[in-house]
């Protein structure tokens, strides 16, 4: 029996999932996972910071905010040629998706021609493309879609109730509006959040409720563990219980059965056993490489060794671009019917 794709999850239902005995929760999540996905295949993405630092936002977790002294050097937008070199290297290491992130509140019109050339160039290499550039207006979203952008990442970060304790310079509705603009333009959505920011279990449930009750589920759901960076307001927070992180992965899998659930930031602090539990709980996507924007990530060879130990393999684009993706797209349609060189720009 295939798990129904729902958009009407109540907070009580989600909190009840979190409260299940650990073994029961993992069994249910793994059962849901196997209905749509190869349980031993993991989608691999690489993330490159194309413009680092000096962001005007006040996200309390972020070393790229201009408001905090984290020792991060400000850099301008990378040259298109440099981005394509990095994309080629990522493809050679087994990545099937190349993600590009810029520390902007929102892209300016003068930035868009360079960003569009990056998308076109990466697509020409045969990679899926993803970008995270901050808020997008409808015109910008349409321009990126026309350039061939596959995914746009814009995280909700946390629950609406806890959001004001994390960021004050952008509203929750701003984030939801960007997701709507991306979906309306016809791109796939990558949206998730961060856990370990001092939020409660109810807030973790609230974040997943927001994502699961969108008109169409995000095709990718990154779940980030807070990386505590010296100089940010969150540098001294207590660590989240690892089993609570696994529970969050499992509940995300149950609520969004056809989405890729990605282990994102924070993997460098996770031992192999914890990552294995996350894969058992339904995670089937990772970021691959030595760095995620400005924070460390496990080295590529370490990930390869872990995959070998667990009998996992990297999912290639052609492996899921047909059967799985066609099913996801069909559901989305039905739901809708319901020293390097830099450019001298900001």
């Amino acid at each position: 029996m295939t798990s129904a794709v729902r958009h009407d999850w109540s907070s009580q239902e989600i909190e009840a999932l979190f409260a299940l005995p650990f073994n029961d929760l993992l069994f249910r999540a793994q059962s849901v996972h196997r209905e749509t996905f190869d349980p031993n295949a993991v989608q691999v993405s690489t993330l490159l910071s194309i413009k680092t630092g000096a962001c005007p936002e006040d996200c309390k977790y972020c070393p790229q905010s201009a408001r905090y002294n984290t020792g991060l050097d400000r850099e301008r937008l990378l040259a298109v040629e440099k981005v394509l070199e990095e994309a080629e290297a990522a493809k050679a290491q087994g990545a099937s998706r190349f993600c590009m992130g810029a520390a902007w509140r929102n892209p300016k019109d003068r930035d868009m021609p360079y960003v569009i050339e990056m998308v076109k160039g990466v697509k020409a290499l045969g990679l899926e493309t993803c970008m995270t550039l901050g808020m997008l207006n409808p015109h910008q979203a349409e321009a990126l879609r026309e350039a061939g952008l596959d995914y746009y990442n814009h995280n909700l970060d946390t629950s609406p109730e806890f959001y004001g304790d994390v960021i004050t310079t952008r509203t929750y509705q701003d984030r939801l509006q960007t997701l709507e603009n991306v979906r309306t333009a016809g791109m796939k959505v990558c949206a998730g959040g961060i856990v370990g920011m001092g939020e409660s279990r109810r807030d973790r449930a609230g974040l997943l409720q927001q994502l699961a009750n969108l008109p169409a589920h995000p095709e990718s759901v990154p779940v980030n563990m807070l990386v505590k960076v010296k100089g940010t307001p969150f540098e001294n927070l207590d660590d989240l219980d690892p089993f609570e992180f696994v529970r969050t992965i499992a509940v995300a899998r149950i609520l969004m059965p056809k989405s890729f659930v990605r282990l994102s930031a924070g993997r460098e602090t996770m031992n192999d056993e914890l990552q294995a539990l996350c894969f058992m709980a339904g995670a089937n996507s990772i970021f691959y490489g030595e760095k995620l924007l400005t924070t460390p990530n496990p080295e590529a060879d370490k990930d390869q060794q872990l995959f070998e130990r667990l009998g996992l393999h990297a999912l290639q684009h052609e492996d899921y671009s047909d059967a799985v993706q066609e099913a996801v797209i069909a559901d989305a349609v039905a739901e809708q019917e319901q020293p390097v060189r830099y450019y001298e720009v900001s």
Side-chain angles (χ1 to χ4, degrees):
M1 179 178 176
T2 302
S3 297
V5 174
R6 293 177 49 190
H7 305 272
D8 60 351
W9 289 94
S10 70
S11 57
Q12 292 81 5
E13 287 178 297
I14 299 172
E15 289 178 40
L17 288 174
F18 267 97
L20 286 171
F22 191 72
N23 286 340
D24 293 348
L25 177 59
L26 261 62
F27 178 79
R28 180 167 173 180
Q30 178 64 198
S31 299
V32 170
H33 184 58
R34 287 171 178 264
E35 292 176 358
T36 299
F37 295 102
D38 178 347
N40 298 310
V42 178
Q43 191 274 325
V44 175
S45 299
T46 294
L47 176 62
L48 174 69
S49 177
I50 61 173
K51 189 272 176 186
T52 302
C55 180
E57 305 278 22
D58 68 352
C59 308
K60 293 181 180 179
Y61 55 80
C62 186
Q64 301 208 63
S65 172
R67 299 163 186 258
Y68 314 131
N69 182 16
T70 62
L72 186 69
D73 292 332
R74 172 177 179 169
E75 297 176 353
R76 295 188 178 94
L77 187 66
L78 283 173
V80 173
E81 294 87 348
K82 175 62 178 176
V83 173
L84 298 185
E85 289 173 8
E86 295 287 344
E88 286 186 290
K91 183 178 180 181
Q93 290 183 333
S96 60
R97 185 180 305 167
F98 191 71
C99 305
M100 295 159 273
W104 289 323
R105 175 177 170 81
N106 54 276
K108 305 294 191 296
D109 287 343
R110 63 178 178 269
D111 304 317
M112 291 300 292
Y114 303 106
V115 167
I116 286 171
E117 286 305 308
M118 292 175 191
V119 173
K120 291 179 177 178
V122 174
K123 285 284 286 186
L125 295 173
L127 290 166
E128 284 192 314
T129 53
C130 179
M131 280 191 159
T132 178
L133 311 173
M135 294 184 290
L136 290 183
N137 62 40
H139 173 73
Q140 291 169 329
E142 183 64 27
L144 289 170
R145 183 199 63 79
E146 291 179 357
L149 188 65
D150 297 299
Y151 287 80
Y152 193 79
N153 167 257
H154 199 66
N155 290 333
L156 296 181
D157 283 359
T158 189
S159 69
E161 294 76 15
F162 190 67
Y163 184 80
D165 293 331
V166 179
I167 177 173
T168 65
T169 51
R170 184 190 313 182
T171 69
Y172 212 81
Q173 185 56 44
D174 288 336
R175 292 180 181 268
L176 291 171
Q177 186 61 55
T178 289
L179 295 183
E180 181 179 337
N181 293 341
V182 169
R183 188 64 83 184
T184 299
M187 288 182 286
K188 300 181 182 73
V189 168
C190 175
I194 307 171
V195 297
M197 297 191 294
E199 78 284 346
S200 65
R201 174 180 282 184
R202 175 166 292 182
D203 291 313
R204 290 186 282 280
L207 165 66
L208 296 181
Q209 181 184 29
Q210 290 291 317
L211 294 167
N213 287 350
L214 288 169
H217 290 167
E219 284 81 0
S220 284
V221 181
V223 181
N224 299 274
M225 179 80 86
L226 175 68
V227 177
K228 291 177 280 189
V229 178
K230 185 175 176 58
T232 64
F234 285 172
E235 65 173 301
N236 294 316
L237 290 178
D238 293 335
D239 291 339
L240 182 69
D241 178 3
F243 293 127
E244 187 69 13
F245 184 81
V246 178
R247 286 181 181 276
T248 305
I249 295 288
V251 175
R253 168 52 65 217
I254 294 167
L255 300 187
M256 293 167 279
K258 296 185 178 180
S259 301
F260 283 89
V261 177
R262 178 182 298 145
L263 293 181
S264 296
R267 273 206 311 129
E268 80 286 349
T269 64
M270 299 180 191
N271 61 30
D272 290 350
E273 293 79 6
L274 175 55
Q275 292 188 66
L277 281 175
C278 289
F279 293 131
M280 175 65 73
N284 63 337
S285 180
I286 63 167
F287 273 126
Y288 191 67
E290 297 179 1
K291 184 177 286 190
L292 300 186
L293 294 180
T294 62
T295 58
N297 199 46
E299 295 181 0
D301 59 350
K302 184 177 179 182
D303 284 331
Q304 291 172 346
Q305 292 168 10
L306 178 60
F307 274 31
E308 290 175 3
R309 292 173 66 199
L310 298 179
L312 302 176
H313 62 273
L315 189 65
Q316 298 304 308
H317 179 54
E318 56 268 21
D319 291 337
Y320 64 92
S321 59
D322 295 329
V324 173
Q325 284 299 90
E326 284 177 9
V328 172
I329 292 169
D331 284 342
V333 170
E335 290 160 5
Q336 289 283 29
E337 291 175 348
Q338 315 169 35
V340 293
R341 291 170 291 138
Y342 302 94
Y343 285 114
E344 294 294 330
V345 297
S346 64

